[in-house]
Amino acid sequence: MSEAVQEYPGVGRVLVVIPTYDEADNIRQITGRVRKAVPSVDILVADDNSPDGTGAIADELSVADDHIFVLHRPGKQGLGAAYVAGFAWAKDKGYDAVVEMDADGSHAPEELPKLLDALRDHDAVLGTRYIPGGSVHNWPLHRLLLSRGGNIYIKMALGMPFRDATGGYRAYRMPVLDRIDVGTVASQGYSFQVELAWRTFRHGFRMTEVPITFTERERGKSKMSGNIFKEQLLRVTRWGVQARTDALRHRLGRSPKPDSTWP
């Protein structure tokens, strides 16, 4: 028997989207922690046909809990595509806000109330590792330097005030995703997060950061790779150059040049 629809006070109906690929070791624990931390939210597991049976486990969880749903996708298409599909599902079902969360436990569900409380007065909330109160656990020094250096470069290149534009623990109100046309986002991996923040910022939405503790996964294999990082830097550089070119054309009284790759 279905339970009554529940809302998070001041935000409305919230869907936590959790993309998965080979997360059989983690999916039970992460969904259980979310349900315990904020019982009023729903969860959508967006599984990319995981060979390890993650999708089947998610189906079992869905049968046992009316707040857990599963979106089966035909194959591994990338983090960005999984989120876009999850956001479209949320819109179709009438949710007011969505949350991005990793399946591996690196994003603590116990901190979800902080994001949702901040969303009451904002359109988008970024969970941030690099502001007072935020931290990173169990990363080697080179990984931490790469992340912090990348975020410094993003801030300089794009002029956004945020300290952590690459983080994947976030909350958005649905009108934001409609306005920025999230279905056209082509980026994958960590650059997907940068592009969403960049589009949201450029459209003038109310954004804020809240501190989070990021803990590297204990089980399973990280999806981070050098190619993902290179893609991110190339896209950010192109967006930064385009932004400055558009600003110059505007000062000269010319219209910005159309560009199909421009967020």
Side-chain angles (χ1 to χ4, degrees), residues 26 63 76-78 90 94 114 117 131 135 168 195 215 220 231 239:
N26 297 307
V63 170
K76 189 176 182 182
Q77 300 173 28
K114 289 197 300 186
D117 288 347
I131 60 175
S135 62
E195 184 167 346
T215 303
E231 179 206 9
W239 298 335

Side-chain angles (χ1 to χ4, degrees), residues 52 54 57 64 69 75 83 93-94 108 132 140 143 164 166 189 192 219 227 241 256:
D52 70 348
T54 301
I57 296 173
F69 303 90
Y83 272 129
K93 303 299 181 181
R143 180 85 178 269
D164 192 358
T166 61
F192 174 82
R219 296 178 295 275
N227 288 335
V241 170

Side-chain angles (χ1 to χ4, degrees), residues 192-256:
F192 174 82
Q193 306 296 0
V194 180
E195 184 167 346
L196 254 62
W198 178 224
R199 289 191 182 203
T200 305
F201 176 73
R202 289 183 65 237
H203 280 88
F205 285 106
R206 301 169 301 165
M207 304 176 68
T208 191
E209 293 180 292
V210 298
I212 63 166
T213 297
F214 178 94
T215 303
E216 177 66 353
R217 66 164 62 232
E218 295 181 355
R219 296 178 295 275
K221 184 178 179 181
S222 173
K223 312 299 193 297
M224 180 64 174
S225 70
N227 288 335
I228 290 174
F229 185 73
K230 291 176 183 177
E231 179 206 9
Q232 176 179 297
L233 289 184
L234 288 173
R235 288 182 181 273
V236 167
T237 300
R238 184 166 65 246
W239 298 335
V241 170
Q242 184 70 63
R244 285 160 176 76
T245 301
D246 285 352
L248 178 60
R249 293 178 67 89
H250 179 74
R251 285 197 295 269
L252 296 175
R254 303 174 184 173
S255 299

Side-chain angles (χ1 to χ4, degrees), residues 4-77:
V5 171
Q6 297 186 37
E7 298 186 352
Y8 192 86
V11 177
R13 294 182 65 208
V14 177
L15 181 72
V16 178
V17 181
I18 303 179
T20 56
Y21 185 79
D22 283 355
E23 297 289 355
D25 292 337
N26 297 307
I27 192 60
R28 287 188 177 90
Q29 184 178 44
I30 194 66
T31 54
R33 288 173 64 188
V34 172
R35 294 289 292 118
K36 183 178 180 179
V38 188
S40 63
V41 305
D42 290 340
I43 300 169
L44 177 68
V45 178
D47 185 65
D48 277 10
N49 196 26
S50 298
D52 70 348
T54 301
I57 296 173
D59 284 336
E60 295 175 8
L61 296 171
S62 179
V63 170
D65 189 334
D66 288 335
H67 287 272
I68 299 176
F69 303 90
V70 186
L71 177 62
H72 291 283
R73 290 159 41 77
K76 189 176 182 182
Q77 300 173 28

